[in-house]
Amino acid sequence: MIKPKYNWDLAEPTEYITEELAKELKLSPIVKKVLESKNLVQEEMIQDVLQDKIINHDPWALSDMQKAVDRINLAIDKSERILVYGDYDADGVTSTTILVNTLSQLGAQVGWYIPNRFSEGYGPNALAFQNAYEEGTSLIITVDNGIQGHEEIKMVQDLGVDVIVTDHHEIGRTLPEAYAIVHPMHPEFSYPFQYLCGAGVAYKLAQALISHPPQQFLALAAIGTIADLVSLTDENRSIVKQGLNILNNNAPVSIQAILKQAGYNDNINEETIGFIIGPRLNAVGRLEDASLAAELLMSEEIEEAEFLAEQVEHFNQERKDIVSEITEEALALAEEQVQQGHLFLLLAKENWHEGVLGIVASKVVETYALPTLILNIDLEQNHAKGSARSIDQVSMFEILNAHQDLISKFGGHHMAAGMTMDIENIDELRKGLNDWMRQLAETTSLEPRKHVDVLLDEREISVKNIRDIQRLRPFGTDFNSPTFELKDLNVQSIKAIGQDGKHLKLSLGENQIAALYWSNGHLANELEIGQPVNLIGQLQINEWNGNQSPQLIIQDIAMETLQILDYRSKRKHYQFSEDDVNTAYVIHPRKEKTTNHHYHYGEEISTNYDKVVFRDLPNTMDEIEQTLNQLQLSQLYLVLQHEQSIYFEGMPSKDLFKNCYKALINKKETNLVEEGMMLCEYLKVKPELLKFMLKVFKDLEFIYDDQGIIKINSQPSKQAIESSHIYQLRQSRMEVEKRLLYDDFSNIKEWIKSQLS
C-alpha cells in the first residue's frame, strides 16, 4: 500500500452545461467536464474563458485616482522631480518600468529607485526617502509597495514631499498618511476587481495618465501578473491574454534577450513566464541589486538588452546553486521540528542568503505541508530577515499580523510574506506561531489537500483531448490547470531516471500512457509491474522526433493493496532511516537494538507502523510467523540480511555422520589444527560442514573439545543425531532459507499474506 501525500478533493459540480450549449460552443466532453468542475456553466462565463474578451475596468474607479493624476500632472507642469520607488521582484521591476516609461512619455522629470533587498529591505526606506528629498524630489510614487510604509511616508510627507502609494498588498489596520493611495482593495472605494498585481495597478495609472498606453505595457503587466501569482480571473485574465498575444507577436527586445539566453525559442505562454521569464527577473533582486532587471526591461536597443540579459542569466544560475544548498540544510532542520510536533516551521540560521529564502520556504512547504518561515540570522545587524510561505488553511498575513509585537517589519498576503525581526524574539515567535496553529487545528483540519477537477477514464487521454483542454489557457491562480484523477491503472513499466535516479517514469494502463513523477524516483523500488495504482496529475503533450503523445505529470499516487517488496538482492537498497518513526525494523534475536523502532523476531510490536522492514533473516519460521501474526501494515520490505547461506550445502547424511564418528574413534584424539584438513579430504566435505558435524557430536556429548584436541567420550548415551539442538537449528535455518530466500517470490508473498493478521 502506498498512502497518498494529500487528501484528494474531487470537485462535485452543482450545475451542468446543457448538451445544447455544449454543442453550440463546440465543447468536447472533456472540456465540458473541466468547465463544470470550475462551476463555469453559463454561456457568458464560458465565452469569457474561450474568447479573447477584453475586460478593462474604468481606471478612474480606483481609489484616489483623480487625486493622483492631478498631482502627477501638476508635477509635470511645474517640472518637479518625480521618483518612482519600486520593488525588487518581477512584479516590482515591471511596475517600475511601466510607470517610468509612462511619465517619460508625458515629459516628466522622472527617476526611479529600487531598494536593495539586503541593506534596505522591502517597501519604503527612510534613508532612501531622505536622500530623494535632499536631491530635490517633490513627488514620490511607490509601485508594488507602500501600503505598510506608515512611518517612512509620514516622515517624508512632513518634509514637504508628496507620496502617492500604488500597491496591491494586504492593507493593515490603518492606512499610511500618503497624499493619495491607489489600491484595488481600498476600503472606501469599490473597484470592480480587487486582485490586480503591482504591475496591473501601474498599468491602470498609465491608462488614466495617457489615453492609449503602448501595447508593450500590457506585456509587462502580464509578466507581473503571472509572476506574482495573483488571481488569473476577470481583468487579470484579460491582461494576461492580451499580454501573451503581444509577447508572441511583438515582444520587447528585453524579453527577446532573456529568452535567447535561456535557449527558449518556442511559443510564449503563461508557463514561459512562470518558469523562465519571471524567475530570471526575480533572480537579480534575490542575489544583488534588482536595478539590473529594471535596466534590462527599460532597454530599447537589442545589443544593450542582450548584454544585460547575459548578466541576468548568470544570476539565475547562481541562484539555483544557492537554493539547492540552503534547501538541504532547511529540510534537515524542518525534519527535527516535525518530529517534535511543530505545526508552524520557523527555521533560522546564520549565513543563509536572504534573497532565496522564499524559494526555500516553498520547497519546505511542498515537503511537509506546513506553513513555513525561514530567517537568516545576521549577528552583525542584530536582526533576522526572511520569507514565509503558507498553506491554504492558514493566512500568513493574518498569523504574522497577530504577532506584530515580535516583528519589526513585515508585509505580504494570504500565501506569502517577507519580514524582519530582532534575533532575541525568534524563540518566542516560534512558540507563538505554534500555539496559534494548535488553536486553529482544534477547528480546522490541517491535512494537506489537493483539489481534483475531473475523474477520468484512461480512454479519455488522447492528444486531441489535451489540445481541447489547452483552449482554456491561460491557467493560473484561481483558474488552475485541471488536475485529473485516474483509478486502477496497471503499472506496465517502472524506471528511475535523471541524476541519481531522482525522478520516476512509468507507463500505465492498456495504452501504456507515459507518466512522470518528479523527485519521486525512490518509488521505483516500491512499485511492481502489474500492480493497479490510483493517481492524480496533469496532462500535457510530449513531442519527440516530430511525434506527439499524451503524457501525465503525476502530482500524487496511491495504492490500496498491501505491498510486499523484495529487497533481498544486494543491488537494491531501502532508503529509510532507522530513526524513522513510521518504520519498524525486525532484526535477528542476537543483534543489538539501537533504536526504539527495532524489534526481535517473535517479540510483541505494540505500535502500528505503516512500513515494516524484515532486516535480518530469522532463525526459524516460527519466529517470523509470530511477528507476521500481529502486524497490520501498508508496506513490508524483505531485506533478510545474512552472513552466509547454508541451504545449498545441505544436511550431512547419516552415513556421513557415521563415517566421521568412526574416523574420530580410530584416532581417539584428533588435533583439528594439524589434522582437520586431512579429515575433510578423507570425508570429502568442506571445513564448514565438518565443523557443523563436530558441533552436533559435541552437543550430544559424543566428543569433547579440549582446546582444539577432539577426544572421544568413552561412555556416550545413545541418542539420535536428529535430537541435537544444533542439528535442529540447521534444519530450521535450511527451512527458513528455502522458504524465504529461494522460493518463488509470488509464493513467498502469498504465504506472508496468509500469516498477516
Side-chain angles (χ1 to χ4, degrees):
M1 181 182 293
I2 295 177
K3 292 187 175 181
K5 297 177 183 177
Y6 303 93
N7 287 332
W8 302 350
D9 296 333
L10 181 62
E12 297 181 4
T14 54
E15 296 182 68
Y16 295 88
I17 299 169
T18 65
E19 293 302 325
E20 294 79 7
L21 182 58
K23 188 174 181 181
E24 178 187 336
L25 299 179
K26 298 180 180 177
L27 304 178
S28 64
I30 197 167
V31 169
K32 179 175 178 290
K33 289 180 182 179
V34 170
L35 290 170
E36 289 168 346
S37 75
K38 298 180 182 297
N39 293 315
L40 300 172
V41 297
Q42 303 300 323
E43 181 173 3
E44 184 179 355
M45 296 176 174
I46 298 169
Q47 294 287 22
D48 285 348
V49 172
L50 295 177
Q51 296 179 353
D52 293 333
K53 181 179 178 181
I54 295 176
I55 300 175
N56 182 26
H57 297 308
D58 182 4
W60 299 100
L62 277 162
S63 62
D64 288 348
M65 182 62 85
Q66 186 67 62
K67 194 175 180 183
V69 169
D70 289 346
R71 180 64 185 89
I72 292 168
N73 284 330
L74 178 63
I76 294 170
D77 291 342
K78 295 175 67 175
S79 298
E80 296 179 51
R81 296 187 67 169
I82 303 173
L83 178 70
V84 175
Y85 187 92
D87 186 31
Y88 39 69
D89 66 1
D91 190 18
V93 294
T94 51
S95 306
T96 303
T97 304
I98 290 169
L99 194 52
V100 168
N101 286 344
T102 298
L103 295 173
S104 296
Q105 286 191 27
L106 292 169
Q109 290 192 39
V110 59
W112 56 273
Y113 185 85
I114 294 177
N116 185 289
R117 179 193 292 262
F118 311 106
S119 59
E120 298 170 283
Y122 170 77
N125 177 270
L127 182 58
F129 278 13
Q130 178 74 32
N131 289 340
Y133 162 71
E134 292 174 358
E135 291 170 3
T137 297
S138 56
L139 176 61
I140 296 174
I141 308 173
T142 70
V143 288
D144 192 34
N145 74 96
I147 201 65
Q148 295 289 333
H150 295 62
E151 293 180 11
E152 298 83 358
I153 290 171
K154 186 177 188 312
M155 178 273 294
V156 79
Q157 287 261 158
D158 288 345
L159 292 172
V161 179
D162 288 330
V163 178
I164 297 173
V165 171
T166 76
D167 200 357
H168 72 112
H169 292 97
E170 296 268 4
I171 296 174
R173 297 168 185 168
T174 59
L175 292 166
E177 296 176 18
Y179 179 88
I181 298 175
V182 181
H183 196 299
M185 289 187 283
H186 196 294
E188 296 172 15
F189 292 79
S190 299
Y191 188 70
F193 181 66
Q194 295 190 336
Y195 305 109
L196 295 170
C197 69
V201 177
Y203 180 73
K204 300 308 290 186
L205 179 55
Q207 282 186 316
L209 287 165
I210 50 180
S211 54
H212 297 290
Q215 276 197 325
Q216 294 197 341
F217 289 6
L218 268 173
L220 294 172
I223 291 169
T225 299
I226 291 171
D228 219 48
L229 301 176
V230 291
S231 178
L232 202 61
T233 56
D234 199 270
E235 190 168 19
N236 281 347
R237 185 171 184 79
S238 178
I239 288 171
V240 168
K241 274 200 168 187
Q242 293 176 80
L244 288 173
N245 189 47
I246 294 161
L247 286 169
N248 279 295
N249 292 299
N250 187 25
V253 293
S254 57
I255 304 305
Q256 294 177 40
I258 289 172
L259 295 176
K260 182 179 179 181
Q261 283 294 321
Y264 185 86
N265 56 9
D266 206 345
N267 184 60
I268 299 172
N269 56 34
E270 71 275 20
E271 291 184 352
T272 316
I273 294 173
F275 295 108
I276 297 177
I277 299 172
R280 282 162 173 79
L281 292 176
N282 279 323
V284 185
R286 291 188 184 283
L287 301 188
E288 285 194 18
D289 192 328
S291 297
L292 171 64
E295 288 174 20
L296 170 58
L297 291 178
M298 292 181 196
S299 61
E300 296 180 355
E301 299 297 327
I302 188 65
E303 292 82 5
E304 179 189 17
E306 289 184 348
F307 172 74
L308 296 171
E310 187 176 347
Q311 296 178 59
V312 168
E313 185 66 26
H314 169 76
F315 280 115
N316 188 55
Q317 291 300 323
E318 185 180 353
R319 185 265 306 169
K320 288 181 180 178
D321 294 339
I322 294 170
V323 166
S324 178
E325 182 180 340
I326 297 177
T327 299
E328 185 177 345
E329 295 177 3
L331 288 173
L333 293 178
E335 177 64 26
E336 292 177 13
Q337 293 191 11
V338 169
Q339 298 293 347
Q340 294 165 9
H342 289 220
L343 297 177
F344 191 111
L345 304 177
L346 194 166
L347 313 174
K349 191 175 179 182
E350 291 178 65
N351 299 319
W352 276 351
H353 200 299
E354 293 167 10
V356 301
L357 297 185
I359 300 173
V360 176
S362 294
K363 292 181 180 295
V364 174
V365 172
E366 286 173 16
T367 304
Y368 292 104
L370 293 172
T372 300
L373 169 60
I374 301 193
L375 298 171
N376 173 56
I377 295 176
D378 188 335
L379 294 175
E380 195 173 308
Q381 299 291 328
N382 192 34
H383 69 214
K385 188 188 293 185
S387 295
R389 296 293 182 268
S390 196
I391 57 178
D392 289 339
Q393 301 97 314
V394 180
S395 167
M396 188 58 71
F397 182 83
E398 182 183 347
I399 191 172
L400 292 180
N401 200 45
H403 297 85
Q404 255 190 29
D405 54 324
L406 298 172
I407 300 170
S408 305
K409 190 176 182 181
F410 89 97
H413 47 80
H414 185 95
M415 295 301 291
M419 60 167 290
T420 304
M421 67 180 297
D422 292 337
I423 296 171
E424 55 265 28
N425 290 339
I426 290 176
D427 289 340
E428 190 177 348
L429 179 62
R430 182 183 287 116
K431 181 180 183 303
L433 294 173
N434 272 282
D435 289 345
W436 196 93
M437 288 293 295
R438 289 187 192 96
Q439 287 185 353
L440 178 69
E442 293 176 3
T443 57
T444 304
S445 170
L446 298 179
E447 288 187 357
R449 315 192 76 83
K450 278 280 187 186
H451 174 80
V452 180
D453 293 273
V454 176
L455 177 63
L456 274 190
D457 186 273
E458 178 190 348
R459 292 167 294 184
E460 295 178 276
I461 299 177
S462 67
V463 170
K464 178 189 177 301
N465 275 346
I466 298 172
R467 282 206 196 98
D468 285 344
I469 294 166
Q470 291 177 346
R471 288 177 64 199
L472 305 178
R473 299 181 84 158
F475 297 116
T477 304
D478 295 335
F479 192 79
N480 292 322
S481 177
T483 296
F484 299 102
E485 180 178 350
L486 293 114
K487 289 188 173 182
D488 296 328
L489 284 180
N490 284 337
V491 177
Q492 304 292 346
S493 70
I494 308 164
K495 190 176 183 182
I497 62 171
Q499 188 175 6
D500 300 323
K502 185 177 181 181
H503 311 298
L504 179 68
K505 183 176 183 180
L506 304 173
S507 63
L508 301 165
E510 295 178 6
N511 297 324
Q512 299 200 14
I513 301 160
L516 295 172
Y517 197 5
W518 305 120
S519 302
N520 279 272
H522 64 278
L523 289 177
N525 294 322
E526 298 186 23
L527 293 166
E528 295 181 81
I529 303 295
Q531 287 183 319
V533 294
N534 302 332
L535 50 85
I536 59 172
Q538 296 179 330
L539 294 172
Q540 61 178 214
I541 295 173
N542 181 43
E543 296 195 29
W544 178 255
N545 288 338
N547 296 317
Q548 293 186 330
S549 60
Q551 183 168 267
L552 183 68
I553 304 301
I554 299 172
Q555 294 178 327
D556 200 7
I557 195 166
M559 182 181 295
E560 295 175 354
T561 55
L562 166 70
Q563 287 181 285
I564 302 170
L565 301 161
D566 188 3
Y567 276 73
R568 296 172 298 169
S569 167
K570 291 181 179 178
R571 293 193 299 269
K572 283 192 173 183
H573 302 282
Y574 56 92
Q575 298 178 339
F576 303 113
S577 163
E578 297 214 2
D579 293 323
D580 182 359
V581 297
N582 294 315
T583 305
Y585 285 80
V586 186
I587 63 176
H588 194 280
R590 287 200 299 269
K591 296 286 181 69
E592 181 184 356
K593 299 177 186 177
T594 56
T595 79
N596 292 332
H597 311 297
H598 279 176
Y599 300 88
H600 289 138
Y601 281 104
E603 187 176 34
E604 181 183 358
I605 301 176
S606 56
T607 305
N608 285 330
Y609 291 91
D610 290 334
K611 300 179 178 71
V612 176
V613 178
F614 282 1
R615 195 191 71 181
D616 301 323
L617 197 67
N619 281 325
T620 69
M621 293 303 293
D622 283 344
E623 287 179 354
I624 196 170
E625 283 178 14
Q626 288 173 32
T627 299
L628 287 170
N629 289 166
Q630 59 179 305
L631 289 180
Q632 292 184 344
L633 72 169
S634 301
Q635 293 174 320
L636 176 62
Y637 292 78
L638 298 184
V639 180
L640 304 179
Q641 295 174 352
H642 54 284
E643 291 181 6
Q644 64 180 37
S645 172
I646 64 169
Y647 177 71
F648 293 108
E649 293 176 7
M651 182 70 82
S653 65
K654 286 187 177 181
D655 287 341
L656 190 55
F657 273 108
K658 287 178 181 177
N659 291 338
C660 181
Y661 189 62
K662 284 180 182 177
L664 295 173
I665 290 176
N666 290 337
K667 289 284 295 177
K668 293 188 179 178
E669 290 188 3
T670 303
N671 186 321
L672 277 183
V673 174
E674 296 176 359
E675 303 172 275
M677 287 307 299
M678 292 174 55
L679 184 56
C680 286
E681 290 172 8
Y682 170 72
L683 296 172
K684 297 179 181 179
V685 297
K686 292 181 179 180
E688 289 76 14
L689 210 56
L690 175 61
K691 289 177 184 176
F692 165 68
M693 289 191 290
L694 294 177
K695 285 180 181 178
V696 172
F697 291 151
K698 186 179 176 184
D699 181 47
L700 296 173
E701 297 184 347
F702 290 174
I703 62 172
Y704 304 110
D705 184 348
D706 183 7
Q707 297 181 338
I709 306 298
I710 301 300
K711 298 179 179 180
I712 300 296
N713 181 356
S714 59
Q715 294 182 326
S717 59
K718 190 172 183 180
Q719 301 174 74
I721 291 292
E722 295 88 347
S723 66
S724 163
H725 176 65
I726 301 297
Y727 186 97
Q728 291 167 1
L729 280 179
R730 186 179 182 90
Q731 269 191 324
S732 296
R733 171 61 184 262
M734 288 176 62
E735 173 70 8
V736 165
E737 290 187 17
K738 176 185 176 183
R739 299 279 299 276
L740 300 180
L741 296 183
Y742 303 115
D743 197 359
D744 186 85
F745 188 59
S746 61
N747 294 336
I748 295 172
K749 285 200 294 186
E750 289 306 311
W751 177 79
I752 288 173
K753 288 177 183 177
S754 72
Q755 297 296 317
L756 287 169
S757 60

